[in-house]
Structure formats: C-alpha cells, structure tokens
Amino acid sequence: MGEEYDVVIVGAGITGCGIARELARYDLRILVVDKEEDVCCGASKANNGMVHSGYEPKPGTLKAKLNVRGVELYPRWAAELDFKLVQTGSMVAAFSEEELPALEKFLERGKVNGVPGIEIISGDEARKKEPNLSPEIIAVLWTPSAGYVEVQQVVLALAENAVANGVRFLLGAEVTDVLVEGGRVQGVVTTRGTFRSRYVINAAGVYADKVAEMAGAREFTIHPRRGTLIVFDKREGKHLSCFIGAVPGEYTKGGGPMTTPDGNPLWGPSAIEVADKEDTAVSAEDLRQVIEKDGRFIPNFPTDTVITYFSGNRPATYTEDFFIEPSAKVHGFVNVAGIQSPGVASSPAIAEMVVGIMKEYEPLHERPDFNPYRKRFVPFRERSREEQAALIAADPRFGHIICRCEHVTEAEIVRAIHSAIPARNVDAVKRRTRAGMGRCQGGFCGPRVAAILARELGVPVTAVTKKGPGSELFAGRIEDLRLEKGAAK
Ligand SMILES: Cc1cc2nc3c(=O)[nH]c(=O)nc-3n(C[C@H](O)[C@H](O)[C@H](O)COP(=O)(O)OP(=O)(O)OC[C@H]3O[C@@H](n4cnc5c(N)ncnc54)[C@H](O)[C@@H]3O)c2cc1C
C-alpha cells in the first residue's frame, strides 16, 4: 500500500491544478495524479485560452455563475502566479438586420449574468477598435472584460505553485480503480501504486464519467465534442487584437478569429460530436469550415500562413452544464465534471467552489506558511540586450539558440527538464519554452531538443518520446539499422 493523503485529485488539467493550488492553502496532504507524463495534456492543451466574459451561458446555470466569477478572479491569479493575461475584450458580430435580435438576446443574457460593460456598438465603432474587420459587419456585441491566456502557462504556474506549497504530483499514473468501503471513499488504485485518501476529487475531463463509474458514483455521462483550431504565423499577429465571433449556437459559442497572448492568430474551433474520447483527428472538412467561417470576419487575412492545426475534445454532459457536486452515493468523492467551455475562464471560480464543498465536509485550517506567489522565468527572447549578455556570461548555454523560430536557448530547455514539474518529453519542453511552436514547427529544433532530453535524462535518444510512452521519435541510428538489415539478409 502506497502513501496516505487527505485528498487525491484525479486529473492535472486546469481544473485539477487549480483545485490543487487553492486547497494547498489549507493543512492538507494532497496528491494530484494524471495518466499522462505531463500536466495540461487533455482539453487544457487544445483550446482558445479565452477568458470569456460570460454573455453566453444560460442564466441560472453553474456555467453562468462560475464564468463571471472566474473573470473577476483571473487578475488575482495572474498577479500572484505571474502569467500573461491580456484583457482586450471580445466581439460577437451581426452581418445583417436578421441577426440583430440574437445580439439583443445575448446582451440581455449578459446583463442578467452580470457581465460588466456589455453593450451593442455599430459596425463602424467596432472597426475603430479593430480596423481590419469586414465592412459588412453592421453591429457588434462588445464585452470589454473578456481576456486571453496561454493555458499551458496557467496550468504550469498553478502546478509549480502547488508543488512549492507541498502538493505532490504523480504523472504517468492512470487511475484504474477507486477504493470505496462502507460507502466512503478510501483512495485510488493507479498504474503506479495504490494511494489511500479521505477524499477523491474527480477532475478527469472526458474520462470523468469513467472515473466516477470506478467509484460507483456515475451520476452523469460525458460525450466528447471535438473542436479543431488553426494556428497562423506570428508575423500575421497584428490583424486583430481581440476575439470576434458569430452569434453562439445551441451547443457552442461558435468560434472565430483571435490572437493569442504570445502573438499567433488562432481560428476556430469547430464543433463535432464524436463517439471516441480519443478522437482528436483533424479533417479537411473541419479545416475548410473554419477557414470559410472565420475568414468572413477579417477578409484580407492571408490564410496561406497556417503553421499548424489540432483538435481537442470538450467533455460535454447532456445538460450542457458543469457538474460539480459531492457524490450522493459515495462520501468523500467529489465530481468536477462536464467542464467544457468556459472551463478555462471559470477555473478560478471552480477551484473556489470545490474549496467550499470541502469545507462542508470538515473545517479546513489555513496554513500560515502558504505562499501564493510564483515568479515565471522571463524567456531569453523577452529580455533586453544587457540582460541577455548577463545571462550568457553566467551560463554560456544561453548563447546557444536551439529553436530559431521562437529564440529558445539551450539553457532554457535544460531548465525546463529540471523544473518543479520536470519536462520528460519533447511536447513538455515545448509547453514550457515554446521550442517547436514557431513557424517551422520543430523541423529545425526537434532533433536538438530530443538530444538535450537524452543527455539530461541520461537515456539513449531512442528512448526520447514526443509525448510519453508509445510516441518514441527514433527507431535507431541509420548506421545500426543498415547493419541490422544487412545481418538479416
Ligand atoms: C477546441 C476547444 C476550445 C476551447 N476553448 C475554450 C476557451 O477559449 N475558453 C474556455 O474557457 N474554455 C475553452 N474550452 C474548454 C476548456 O478547454 C476545458 O473546459 C478545460 O480545459 C477543461 O479542463 P480540465 O482540467 O477539466 O480537463 P482536461 O484538461 O481534459 O484534464 C483532465 C485530465 O484528466 C486526466 N485523466 C483522465 N482520466 C484519467 C485517469 N483514469 N487517471 C488519471 N488521469 C486521468 C487526463 O489525462 C487529463 O490530463 C475549449 C475546449 C476545446 C476542446
């Protein structure tokens, strides 16, 4: 039997890491487990990173309440945890008189939900804010409180701060069973051991229904809804500063073009119901639809500057609302499920709500030594010439650029590999440093990053993976493979 904890959190996405960091304020032994080798590998790695203002969720839903509260809490998270939060507002466009009633509907919804500053402005006023908008747009629903984050930076900041405050992360550990005795949760069985705990928080994204089932507490069902996003070259990052989208549909906010805090134009997502939770394929049809739909908003955008595309799955429930409740069947088992969009925007409020649920179970005692602050390492590319020279003088590996597109140095990659949440594969290095996120998408730096990983981890390069076991990058040295082939003849 492994170590004992007060709380085990299943899932190291933005929901699980946010909860871990907020619970770390209290005198609790906390373990976060995730089946992947890194944090931020589920829906949290494949989304727009929009801190939606909250005009879209139906009034009275958890989504409506937690979205607006999340927007209020984000500036404090950003200040304490030192991640980029860009608040440039968001727009919903009407191209014709027929679409105006829909804008009015979401204006009213926004007011009921408590969205600050929400208003409808004319197309001309919108073009004063965003000069590249289509001249065909006649009116816009404007919400100034919307913001944007790089979600991987938020999740890493939360996880690092949680670790600094005593939370343990066990990655590459899939939960295969939840222990329940006498109607009370007792812990989890994972592929890396069994861990007893008085509470289990289920933040397993699209798999939350499966984890709940393991506990005998399946009180909801998750059906994955795939969304495809397209990333463009940073050189085109000046076309738009805020998000502009279509009038939301029944099940999605509709997507639209935006620019990420790190400067990449990002279009999409689409919304397609899929049967398989692992189906993150990208189809030509998805891409065509996103390009056609989003191109309407900024018609002069050069769409041939695509650098990559990807899909993620929203963990939708049949009510379309978040499902955040202590289980009615198993004492101490808390479901934090159905966290589809606006899950990123709501994450500080979700964590706050879960702390409230835990306080219903028992009084929580604040730790006097809790440190809410975490300082990010300012990337080499963002520093002044003088600072760069000082870094190189202290460590010559800062003078060795590995990723030419994003100007990532060898020293930063080494730092990522030995950080509080250590990077163990090429994608994990990318999440921490942006190496491979640029125009060539790792064509130049990929093998170099792999070689540094092999050196720092003390493994052969053939053991280095893209994103964990099963995604090995190299079969062997060409010379050795040739010899093997020759020997087999
Ligand atoms: C295309 C797209 C665009 C989106 N855009 C936005 C947006 O702009 N703004 C916004 O607010 N929201 C957006 N969302 C929604 C947002 O991404 C999610 O709400 C959020 O990421 C959910 O985070 P999570 O931590 O709950 O889930 P996840 O990030 O999926 O994390 C769940 C974790 O649980 C782990 N896990 C699962 N099963 C097990 C097991 N058995 N054992 C151990 N670990 C397990 C997984 O490996 C995973 O890491 C978007 C979603 C998509 C798909």
Side-chain angles (χ1 to χ4, degrees), residues 10-17 33-36 38-52 151 173-176 203-208 210-211 214 225-229 253 258 269-270 310-315 322 336 338-346:
V10 186
I14 194 162
T15 304
C17 291
V33 290
D34 200 292
K35 63 185 172 63
E36 303 299 332
D38 195 14
V39 300
C40 202
C41 285
S44 300
K45 78 155 192 256
N47 59 70
N48 300 64
M50 248 189 97
V51 181
H52 299 284
V151 180
E174 180 171 353
V175 171
T176 53
V206 281
Y207 289 99
K210 299 287 171 211
V211 173
M214 292 174 199
R225 184 176 297 136
R226 195 177 73 198
T228 298
L229 289 158
K253 280 178 276 310
M258 56 171 275
S270 52
F310 54 85
S311 293
N313 277 323
R314 306 165 179 91
F322 296 156
V336 189
I339 311 299
Q340 55 165 316
S341 186
V344 170
S346 310

Side-chain angles (χ1 to χ4, degrees), residues 10 175-181 183-188 200-202 207-220 327-335:
V10 186
V175 171
T176 53
D177 202 2
V178 177
L179 302 172
V180 179
E181 284 163 26
R184 300 178 84 96
V185 81
Q186 302 290 332
V188 294
V200 171
I201 297 174
N202 173 14
Y207 289 99
D209 53 351
K210 299 287 171 211
V211 173
E213 202 168 84
M214 292 174 199
R218 179 158 160 172
E219 292 149 34
F220 56 90
S327 165
K329 296 178 180 166
V330 179
H331 181 88
F333 186 80
V334 182
N335 284 306

Side-chain angles (χ1 to χ4, degrees), residues 267 286-297 303:
W267 288 20
D286 286 347
L287 295 176
R288 193 188 56 74
Q289 275 184 20
V290 170
I291 294 276
E292 252 177 36
K293 198 159 74 61
D294 292 6
R296 281 182 80 202
F297 301 103
T303 50

Side-chain angles (χ1 to χ4, degrees), residues 203-284:
V206 281
Y207 289 99
D209 53 351
K210 299 287 171 211
V211 173
E213 202 168 84
M214 292 174 199
R218 179 158 160 172
E219 292 149 34
F220 56 90
T221 306
I222 302 284
H223 57 280
R225 184 176 297 136
R226 195 177 73 198
T228 298
L229 289 158
I230 304 178
V231 185
F232 296 87
D233 195 326
K234 262 181 172 178
R235 277 182 318 176
E236 308 301 336
K238 296 282 173 268
H239 288 257
L240 207 58
S241 62
C242 80
F243 168 88
I244 176 138
V247 172
E250 185 67 10
Y251 301 124
T252 96
K253 280 178 276 310
M258 56 171 275
T259 307
T260 65
D262 278 343
N264 291 94
L266 180 67
W267 288 20
S270 52
I272 297 182
E273 304 296 326
V274 289
D276 179 358
K277 291 177 193 284
E278 295 293 324
D279 179 354
T280 51
V282 174
S283 74

Side-chain angles (χ1 to χ4, degrees), residues 18 26 31 56 62 80 87 131 158 165-166 177 194 228 270 295 311 355 366 370 372 388 393 395 467 482:
Y26 304 94
L31 174 70
E56 187 267 346
L62 262 185
E80 290 179 349
Q87 269 175 313
L158 288 164
N165 284 293
D177 202 2
T194 296
T228 298
S270 52
S311 293
V355 170
E366 283 194 27
F370 174 74
Q388 289 181 342
D395 180 349
K467 55 178 183 174
R482 270 211 208 108

